[in-house]
Amino acid sequence: MAPWALLSPGVLVRTGHTVLTWGITLVLFLHDTALRQWEEQGDLLLPLAFLLLVLGSLLLYLAVSLMDPGYVNIQPQAQEEAKEEQTAMVPQVIPLRRCRYCLLLPLRARHCRECRRCVRRYDHHCPWMENCVGERNHPLFVAYLAVQLVVLLWGLYLAWSGLRFFQPWGLWLRSSGLLFATFLLLSILSLVAGLLLASHLYLVASNTTTWEFLSSHRIAYLRQRPGNPFDRGLIRNLAHFFCGWPSGSWETLWAEEEEEEGRSQAV
């Protein structure tokens, strides 16, 4: 690997996230917070649980950041053969979508300019992950947000437990200035993580994506439909998102919804 590859955006972002995570954890352990009080009392279960949660959130972050989000495979065969084969697999009622780089786009896929690949069930490109969130890593992304929010809220409580405000200003700034800055940072991150988790749970419950939610007026397969053609109710949406059940392509689901609407209009 070339030395300059270590300075790529992905490496820098992931390194920064890791350093920030363990740096905040270290600040919480070094100051007179509830963590330190638990240690002094010999109660190591809660500090160990906190460390395991921090480690779990970091591992989930790296998993989502490094894994394939669901890239559309480009076969090495001739372009015309690929187009004919892919077109034959798509029901004729579905509007065909083409990408100048990846040939025929599957339904709900989108080309990411940052990754330079088409991603199945594209949600968004996350700059903090330096990776797309798509069909394969979206469930892990939601799990990461949930675990990260628990860690942030717990860290927020720990930082608050170590703050002592009834001290002279100069002494307080030397003893608690860094902890107070950590508290403010955790407050902001907790708000961001909470809003992200709430929005993605809403999207999952309705079986839509961030891209589809924000750009439905520009997407051909959504613009011509009054509602969301992929919504199958809360339980089935959650089961499909987290467990992959019931299985089936989005093209088939879209075509079935089209046929159901046609029958209802005929009646």
Side-chain angles (χ1 to χ4, degrees), residues 38-261:
W38 293 333
E39 289 183 65
E40 293 174 353
Q41 296 169 2
D43 185 5
L44 300 180
L45 181 60
L46 289 175
L48 181 61
F50 180 72
L51 281 176
L52 289 177
L53 271 176
V54 171
L55 180 61
S57 70
L58 186 57
L59 292 177
L60 280 172
Y61 167 83
L62 292 174
V64 176
S65 178
L66 294 172
M67 74 181 297
D68 175 1
Y71 292 130
V72 176
N73 293 326
I74 303 177
Q75 301 296 332
Q77 58 190 10
Q79 286 191 1
E80 291 302 323
E81 295 180 3
K83 289 180 181 178
E84 292 177 2
E85 180 180 354
Q86 290 174 321
T87 304
M89 296 172 60
V90 179
Q92 295 304 309
V93 295
I94 298 178
L96 298 180
R97 304 167 57 243
R98 300 188 182 277
C99 171
R100 72 174 74 177
Y101 306 103
C102 308
L103 306 181
L104 189 67
L105 271 178
L107 209 60
R108 310 192 79 178
R110 184 174 187 263
H111 187 85
C112 175
R113 294 180 180 178
E114 287 79 9
C115 296
R116 299 179 181 178
R117 297 283 298 275
C118 287
V119 180
R120 296 180 182 274
R121 198 184 178 276
Y122 176 88
D123 188 87
H124 70 286
H125 182 90
C126 181
W128 189 244
M129 297 279 181
E130 195 57 31
N131 194 16
C132 279
V133 176
E135 190 171 67
R136 292 192 61 193
N137 63 353
H138 200 176
L140 276 182
F141 179 75
V142 174
Y144 160 73
L145 288 178
V147 175
Q148 186 67 75
L149 182 59
V150 173
V151 171
L152 290 170
L153 292 176
W154 196 350
L156 197 62
Y157 160 75
L158 294 173
W160 179 259
S161 69
L163 293 175
R164 305 289 184 266
F165 294 101
F166 301 102
Q167 293 177 341
W169 170 251
L171 178 61
W172 179 86
L173 190 61
R174 288 192 299 271
S175 62
S176 302
L178 181 59
L179 187 61
F180 184 68
T182 301
F183 174 80
L184 293 179
L185 178 60
L186 289 173
S187 301
I188 297 172
L189 294 177
S190 298
L191 179 62
V192 173
L195 291 175
L196 279 174
L197 179 61
S199 63
H200 277 274
L201 287 177
Y202 169 77
L203 294 173
V204 170
S206 57
N207 200 350
T208 189
T209 65
T210 302
W211 173 57
E212 292 173 340
F213 181 79
L214 296 177
S215 305
S216 59
H217 61 287
R218 296 192 292 110
I219 302 175
Y221 60 84
L222 295 179
R223 190 171 59 243
Q224 57 184 272
R225 304 291 290 275
N228 180 9
F230 308 109
D231 188 0
R232 283 296 184 266
L234 176 62
I235 302 301
R236 294 186 68 183
N237 289 341
L238 293 177
H240 187 273
F241 182 80
F242 288 106
C243 307
W245 182 88
S247 60
S249 67
W250 299 118
E251 286 80 4
T252 302
L253 191 61
W254 196 94
E256 290 175 355
E257 182 71 15
E258 182 78 12
E259 292 176 0
E260 290 179 6
E261 285 191 4

